[in-house]
Amino acid sequence: MKPTRMLLAASAFALVAATADAQQTWRYAFEEAIDEVQGVFATQFKEHIEANSDHEVQLFPFGTLGESDDIMEQTQAGILQFVNQSPGFTGALIPAAQVFFVPYLLPQEGEQLNEFFRNSVAINEIFPEIYAEHGLELLTMYPEGEVVMTTKSPVRSPEDLNEQNVRVMTNPLLVEKYRAFGAVPTPLPWGEVYGALQTNMIQGQENPMFFVESTRMYEVTDYITFTGHNNFTTAFMANKDFFDGLSGEDQALVREAVDVAFEYILDYQQGLTEASLETILESKPEMEVIVLTEEERQPFMDAAGRVEEEFLRMTGDTGARILEQMKADLEAVTN
Ligand code: 6CS
């Protein structure tokens, strides 16, 4: 081969190699099954990325790589590129993320709540700065439905929770919250909850309705109580070094896939709470559903102030900034 031809062939090979290098496989773990809300979000994200690039997204549902804390560690270490972890667990690492456990702060469900997540300065501007300090690129937060308590005995007041061990996700503010609600809070990773209810080590837990149904929490509890105290918030993020190392084009593609999955998941959840409740009652007609009246809610609402104070004590200036901004963001969507 003539030297010029050789050079041309070499540069053609280099070009092919460069294109091939551009193809990447991204690993993405989440805390739920593939057909639960986080899995549906992840599937939308994967489909958008794969339809619009040569990249592949490998999905790892709950349990395949460990518990929630395990997948977060693997993401911070760069073993995983993407992770969905809820503030219920991240709150132990990033105290300000516990703001989502101040009771009666956010609406439980609905279009106002969706608008809040779309436009919130706290979520879309301040939290990303805070998560970045922990090596995480926060890509979005989204709601997973109103949180209900499922218990073995009826709950109409904080007195009814007296001496009841109620499982909470593993962050200190949730512990304070259930203490303020009158219970004995018991932090546990998700994988231990069904067994702990079955063996009566705990007598209750809280989660959104779709999860109560899909994980069969109703088999090991007898009462569902709508206290109206919260929605379940979750968060999707990337390893920050990985994200910063992507080309501008790939970063834009990731953000676009997040926007598509975000809108899809809000739409997907319309009517999900009601449908899940119906399925539960079909499987277990004797399950009792309690919706607290305004009057019954009041003592739980009275406890909220104490939890907010505790949040501020735990998180200092950062928490105060987040809480103030969240309230302003809420005001903007409720007026
Ligand atoms: O309660 C929990 O731990 C779990 N709840 C939901 C709705 N998603 C994942 C999380 O691990």
Side-chain angles (χ1 to χ4, degrees):
M1 219 188 261
K2 282 189 183 160
T4 40
R5 281 225 183 129
M6 220 148 78
L7 209 65
L8 275 176
S11 46
F13 176 76
L15 198 68
V16 171
T19 318
D21 268 345
Q23 192 284 327
Q24 294 177 18
T25 298
W26 296 339
R27 288 182 292 271
Y28 171 164
F30 46 99
E31 305 168 311
E32 295 173 8
I34 194 75
D35 55 355
E36 292 172 339
V37 170
Q38 290 183 20
V40 174
F41 180 99
T43 304
Q44 286 298 310
F45 177 83
K46 172 184 166 75
E47 284 178 5
H48 190 85
I49 296 290
E50 292 181 355
N52 293 284
S53 72
D54 290 334
H55 302 315
E56 183 198 356
V57 181
Q58 286 179 350
L59 298 182
F60 296 92
F62 174 76
T64 52
L65 296 177
E67 284 282 358
S68 201
D69 285 346
D70 301 315
I71 57 178
M72 175 55 95
E73 268 178 36
Q74 290 161 29
T75 306
Q76 286 183 302
I79 298 165
L80 297 173
Q81 285 70 49
F82 294 99
V83 69
N84 197 129
Q85 194 194 48
S86 306
F89 297 102
T90 320
L93 175 74
I94 304 177
Q98 297 175 111
V99 73
F100 295 100
F101 304 100
V102 174
Y104 300 100
L105 177 62
L106 292 178
Q108 303 93 306
E109 282 184 13
E111 197 41 39
Q112 267 182 0
L113 184 67
N114 294 350
E115 270 302 282
F116 166 78
F117 276 94
R118 277 189 197 103
N119 302 319
S120 164
V121 173
I123 287 179
N124 298 300
E125 293 175 32
I126 306 181
F127 267 127
E129 288 168 22
I130 301 174
Y131 275 58
E133 290 164 17
H134 298 267
L136 299 164
E137 179 74 31
L138 178 64
L139 293 164
T140 194
M141 288 187 173
Y142 59 92
E144 291 197 57
E146 173 170 0
V147 166
V148 297
M149 287 183 206
T150 71
T151 48
K152 289 172 186 262
S153 54
V155 175
R156 292 191 180 277
S157 69
E159 288 71 47
D160 291 336
L161 286 171
N162 188 28
E163 294 188 7
Q164 300 287 306
N165 295 329
V166 178
R167 179 269 176 171
V168 292
M169 289 180 283
T170 51
N171 77 66
L173 195 71
L174 256 171
V175 169
E176 288 309 322
K177 172 164 137 181
Y178 268 87
R179 201 167 277 150
F181 279 0
V184 183
T186 312
L188 284 178
W190 174 247
E192 293 176 29
V193 181
Y194 191 100
L197 282 165
Q198 207 171 24
T199 54
N200 204 33
M201 277 173 59
I202 56 170
Q203 291 80 42
Q205 62 94 37
E206 64 159 38
N207 254 309
M209 281 303 302
F210 85 87
F211 206 61
V212 172
E213 191 265 307
S214 59
T215 62
R216 298 175 178 265
M217 283 294 108
Y218 61 87
E219 292 177 346
V220 280
T221 48
D222 300 310
Y223 296 85
I224 295 175
T225 306
F226 285 79
T227 51
H229 71 272
N230 220 346
N231 88 91
F232 188 99
T233 297
T234 197
F236 176 52
M237 62 215 98
N239 171 292
K240 190 159 171 48
D241 288 341
F242 153 75
F243 189 80
D244 289 345
L246 290 177
S247 65
E249 204 179 314
D250 278 346
Q251 286 186 355
L253 176 67
V254 166
R255 293 203 188 279
E256 193 181 276
V258 168
D259 289 347
V260 169
F262 176 87
E263 287 304 327
Y264 186 93
I265 210 62
L266 296 187
D267 197 40
Y268 172 84
Q269 290 181 76
Q270 281 189 36
L272 192 57
T273 295
E274 294 76 10
S276 308
L277 184 56
E278 225 171 273
T279 311
I280 291 173
L281 292 174
E282 273 164 26
S283 303
K284 185 175 173 179
E286 66 276 24
M287 190 87 194
E288 269 198 46
V289 181
I290 299 170
V291 181
L292 296 189
T293 62
E294 284 296 309
E295 209 176 308
E296 287 168 333
R297 275 186 191 194
Q298 199 54 52
F300 291 101
M301 291 178 97
D302 293 343
R306 224 173 97 191
V307 183
E308 186 173 312
E309 272 169 32
E310 195 54 38
F311 171 74
L312 291 171
R313 196 193 60 75
M314 284 179 187
T315 57
D317 291 348
T318 310
R321 182 174 169 225
I322 279 285
L323 186 62
E324 196 184 324
Q325 187 60 53
M326 293 260 291
K327 287 182 177 174
D329 296 342
L330 277 166
E331 184 95 7
V333 293
T334 44
N335 288 323

